[in-house]
Amino acid sequence: MNKEKYVWRVGAPPPLLNQHSRIKHRIIESYVREYILTLLSDARIPRLQLTLVDGFAGGGAYLAEDGSGEVDGSPLLMMRAVREARAQLNLGRRVPREVAVDFEFVEDDPDAVAYLRDRITARADENAIEFVDKARVRVTNGRIQSEISRILGAVKQRKLGERVIFLLDQYGYSFPIPRVAELLRTLHGAEILLNFNVGSLITFLADRAANRKPLKKNGLDSYIPWEELPSIKANRRWRQILQRHLALGIRRVAGARFATLFFVRPNSDSPWDYWLIHLSNHYKAHEVMKDLHWANASVFGHELEPGVFMQGYDAKSDDDYTGQASFDFGDTSRDACIEGIHEHFGKVIFKLEQPTKLRELIEHCASRSPGSTQHFCQGLRRLHQSKDVIILTKDGKVRQPSKNYPLDCFVEPSKTLRLFP
């Protein structure tokens, strides 16, 4: 993303938003809404306290590329998501449940800040967002790096947990991944949505100081095999190889238990541009994000194996690389994903020395697969139907093949395992 094309001036039309960025904004809005609904899925929970941080907030409005007029930017979309979730949760209830959200919108361009403040007021007057939420908005003219300590302190001081979603839809690499790791370590309930310009980074990667600088800043320098770079770029699969290295580095440096790193497909000649990364220490949040990717098939994708892919790159294992077409979350990719999980699970389960919880198997593979829980269960079902595995309830009773399996069931290899001898 080129920051220069996003200019806001009060009294002037907002900048143009590309369609693929609008889809990304839709994912962000949906994630915030589904996150709240998931946390309050137990109807006995009376209140949720949450902080939403947009570290590169912009002016809050754009012109749609399709000519349909003005559309909201990410700060307003998050506020709309809160309103929608609150309304859904309280539909038909006599005693309403409280969704208390603090909004922290940070932007370093003073003109964009002025535009955003006007936009929030206008949308509240139009009843597009709640006045109760508007009263809890803090718009700060500054850099998110300088505001993080203040925000962390405010979250730490409040009661009812440390739940925060950080949206870091940055230009370039201005918010380093080691700082992301700090957020995840400091706050038990932190979720990170990070924009990472991997396409341009890979394309222009070379062993020169200017190219290594963003990698050093992000703690990823040691994950690139610099001496092998010329031979890697001579390989027809060089993009995929470098993606493996960067994906492994990001996961390790960020320190998150769960991560999704999928490309946003732009409307341009280049097939890929940037990764929309979700980092979390909670599997359910990870699952919510993956389900949203599947719900927006063809907009997101990757270029690695469809089932469970490698981390890093090992030339000795290169024969295992499938070389399939780009994964786009469509029907063909879905079938390939389930089959890939089926094969991987078969190999993993064959090595088990004792019954293992399905939850542990899924969480072990989750960050290395586009599959959500439903796809892991379908891959397991194929093994179950072919009698390659035995599945037990948490009480030790043998289960029959099913469309869905509870995550607390146990899996063990059959004594007559046939597919993976």
Side-chain angles (χ1 to χ4, degrees), residues 143-159:
R143 293 181 178 274
I144 184 61
Q145 297 91 325
S146 302
E147 298 297 322
I148 281 295
S149 295
R150 175 186 62 78
I151 294 171
L152 292 181
V155 172
K156 283 286 188 181
Q157 288 177 5
R158 77 180 186 208
K159 299 179 180 179

Side-chain angles (χ1 to χ4, degrees), residues 167-221:
L167 174 59
L168 302 172
D169 195 359
Q170 59 188 341
Y171 306 98
Y173 314 97
S174 51
F175 197 93
I177 294 173
R179 293 298 306 276
V180 170
E182 179 185 345
L183 299 178
L184 291 168
R185 287 194 305 267
T186 304
L187 298 174
H188 171 72
E191 307 284 329
I192 313 292
L193 289 168
L194 175 70
N195 194 47
F196 192 82
N197 294 331
V198 66
S200 61
L201 183 64
I202 289 176
T203 301
F204 300 106
L205 191 63
D207 192 3
R208 294 192 297 267
N211 296 99
R212 294 184 71 149
K213 183 177 180 180
L215 288 161
K216 287 182 177 179
K217 180 180 180 181
N218 280 282
L220 302 175
D221 184 66

Side-chain angles (χ1 to χ4, degrees), residues 358-359 377 392-394 399 402 404-410:
L358 176 58
R359 179 187 300 278
C377 286
L392 309 171
T393 68
K394 62 180 179 180
R399 284 184 59 99
S402 172
N404 298 295
Y405 296 94
L407 297 184
D408 60 358
C409 70
F410 288 85

Side-chain angles (χ1 to χ4, degrees), residues 103-123:
F103 300 89
E104 293 276 0
F105 300 147
V106 182
E107 170 58 46
D108 67 351
D109 179 358
D111 289 325
V113 167
Y115 203 105
L116 176 58
R117 287 172 174 157
D118 279 3
R119 181 73 174 185
I120 291 172
T121 298
R123 295 298 275 159

